[in-house]
Amino acid sequence: MLGKMAASVAEHGEDAFRTVFRFYKRRNPPPDFSQVIDFSKTVENERVFATELDHGSLSEEDACRAGLRPVKDWRAFSLQGYPGFIFISNPFLLGSQQYWVKQCLKTYPQKPNVCNLDMHMSPTETENIWEKSIDGIRKKGKREPRSLLEKLRWVTLGYHYNWDTKTYSADHYSPFPVDLHSLSQKVAAACGFPGFKAEAGILNYYRSDSSLGIHVDESELDHTWPLLSFSFGQTAVFLLGGTKRQDPPTAMFMRSGDIMVMSGSSRLLYHAVPCIIPAPASDPLPPCLGQHLGKEAGSDGLIKDVSEVEWEVCSKYLLTSRVNMTVRQVLGLGQTFPTALPRLGAVAESSGYHEESGQNAKKRKSESGYEEDS
Ligand code: OGA
Ligand code: MN
């Protein structure tokens, strides 16, 4: 496999990251996934180390209120060669993922948050995306037109990311959801970052043929704070590279409930999602998603029970989808957005984000997010 990849680099002048990206993006025949790290199974080896988190940072009660297990029970890992990268293998309590999925599908796409559909539809057309979609999803037949929810690709929260200028700004802001802020603050504290402020969120919605292009998240003004990533639904392959496109990436599965933290010298590494792995027909949804909320959370916490009808829609949607929430702190302590106009050419210089392929370059960035179409 590595020999073939090296040959491809030589032939097409490709960078090592793109070669691996294409390898996992291939459909026919499907790629060999044997080199992909599986944290749900992996016990430690020469690349993967179990890592201790800060048990004292979060009481069992507070963890439970956000739908999380006690920190002492989390299975957290670090990767050889990637200091600051932490992978937490599904620390959610049984039943609580349903809440976050429902928030991503029903609550967070609502105004004043911004989504890809707003780029070419009027505010009234993109109002009540959930209500306009549920009948179609519930009675899903082959000829049913795709619902708005199924056309959703990204939602931005807090400081709304501008895909064209690759910046955040003070005047394009709506209040960050309190529940997601609380979840993020707790996870960040357990990872050694007490005081983390969730100021911007990008939610990505993947269908089974979606991918996410190679990019670095560098638009935040302060990079000393971690970037948190939460995944729900179908499994993805995640590629974590280096600071250069020539650095070959490490592949890992991201499953429902998994949390990833990019901090320290791993905060600004190239990464991408080349593919979503189709679930076996016998087991279309991971068992951790099917459970109903236990008594212990629900009552006094952040997490509310999801109704049966809501879950019917969410679970149908997730049969062929993955949802990912990334949460970022944009500003450092006491920092504000620069008020001066950017120098001419400043935008063009910030080329660190993902490269577009020829055919994608024509497409407006704001419509596709950093999704890579097949
Ligand atoms: C992002 C991102 C990865 C994922 O939104 O910046 O890299 O797993 N998402 O979807
Ligand atoms: Mn990213």
Side-chain angles (χ1 to χ4, degrees):
M1 172 174 120
L2 291 174
K4 260 196 213 146
M5 288 196 194
S8 174
V9 173
E11 255 176 61
H12 308 292
E14 282 189 337
D15 58 79
F17 200 127
R18 180 156 291 276
T19 305
V20 178
F21 183 89
R22 283 189 202 274
F23 176 86
Y24 286 112
K25 195 179 156 112
R26 187 184 69 190
R27 249 156 237 295
N28 263 315
D32 169 11
F33 292 115
S34 64
Q35 298 302 304
V36 182
I37 296 174
D38 190 344
F39 291 100
S40 73
K41 302 205 179 90
T42 311
V43 260
E44 294 155 82
N45 60 32
E46 60 288 344
R47 290 197 290 174
V48 179
F49 301 87
T51 185
E52 281 290 303
L53 298 181
D54 186 357
H55 301 178
S57 62
L58 184 57
S59 71
E60 292 200 14
E61 292 72 28
D62 279 343
C64 181
R65 279 189 200 106
L68 296 164
R69 296 175 202 275
V71 178
K72 66 174 170 41
D73 297 338
W74 294 7
R75 296 176 59 251
F77 299 94
S78 45
L79 271 184
Q80 177 63 37
Y82 297 92
F85 176 80
I86 304 171
F87 192 106
I88 309 166
S89 181
N90 182 17
F92 288 95
L93 288 163
L94 274 182
S96 64
Q97 285 187 51
Q98 291 192 354
Y99 172 79
W100 296 108
V101 171
K102 191 262 289 173
Q103 293 301 77
C104 289
L105 300 184
K106 181 175 180 178
T107 311
Y108 300 151
Q110 289 172 29
K111 301 283 172 292
N113 300 334
V114 180
C115 72
N116 63 302
L117 304 173
D118 295 320
M119 300 300 127
H120 50 82
M121 291 172 78
S122 72
T124 42
E125 286 175 305
T126 60
E127 219 165 43
N128 306 322
I129 290 172
W130 171 266
E131 287 75 10
K132 286 173 179 157
S133 304
I134 53 177
D135 287 344
I137 292 180
R138 290 180 79 187
K139 60 172 195 278
K140 193 78 195 150
K142 273 279 169 275
R143 275 188 295 279
E144 211 68 42
R146 273 207 300 162
S147 61
L148 286 183
L149 197 51
E150 290 161 301
K151 291 180 184 163
L152 196 62
R153 287 293 165 272
W154 55 261
V155 167
T156 53
L157 310 171
Y159 290 116
H160 297 288
Y161 188 63
N162 182 321
W163 299 95
D164 295 323
T165 61
K166 300 176 181 175
T167 59
Y168 301 98
S169 62
D171 57 4
H172 198 197
Y173 173 82
S174 47
F176 195 94
V178 170
D179 53 2
L180 183 53
H181 180 271
S182 174
L183 173 71
S184 304
Q185 198 166 50
K186 289 168 182 183
V187 170
C191 293
F193 295 93
F196 175 81
K197 289 204 291 287
E199 293 176 326
I202 297 179
L203 314 181
N204 289 297
Y205 300 79
Y206 298 80
R207 311 294 294 169
S208 25
D209 60 351
S210 309
S211 55
L212 181 92
I214 306 163
H215 68 279
V216 174
D217 292 285
E218 61 183 359
S219 301
E220 297 72 26
L221 299 184
D222 186 312
H223 298 140
T224 59
W225 292 99
L227 189 147
L228 311 182
S229 155
F230 302 86
S231 293
F232 302 106
Q234 298 302 324
T235 299
V237 171
F238 182 83
L239 298 178
L240 181 65
T243 52
K244 298 187 294 296
R245 291 277 296 239
Q246 280 68 32
D247 302 330
T250 299
M252 61 198 87
F253 291 118
M254 284 199 75
R255 301 181 184 280
S256 199
D258 288 347
I259 302 178
M260 240 178 43
V261 178
M262 291 171 79
S263 71
S265 48
S266 291
R267 174 64 182 76
L268 295 173
L269 298 183
Y270 278 106
H271 57 281
V273 177
C275 65
I276 305 297
I277 316 251
S282 58
D283 239 334
L285 269 193
C288 63
L289 265 172
Q291 304 286 328
H292 266 289
L293 196 58
K295 281 262 178 317
E296 76 269 33
S299 54
D300 65 333
L302 219 55
I303 304 293
K304 306 282 183 296
D305 220 345
V306 174
S307 78
E308 257 177 59
V309 174
E310 285 171 336
W311 187 244
E312 185 195 339
V313 175
C314 290
S315 59
K316 283 237 166 77
Y317 174 90
L318 284 188
L319 288 176
T320 52
S321 312
R322 166 178 186 258
V323 180
N324 176 262
M325 321 190 279
T326 56
V327 180
R328 304 116 192 272
Q329 175 161 341
V330 176
L331 300 166
L333 200 69
Q335 192 174 20
T336 52
F337 286 100
T339 45
L341 286 170
R343 282 174 301 119
L344 270 177
V347 168
E349 275 167 28
S350 70
S351 59
Y353 234 38
H354 94 102
E355 275 177 16
E356 292 175 275
S357 62
Q359 84 238 32
N360 280 352
K362 287 190 223 89
K363 200 167 160 185
R364 276 176 66 79
K365 235 19 262 118
S366 51
E367 286 174 34
S368 60
Y370 27 39
E371 166 192 7
E372 257 229 0
D373 288 48
S374 41

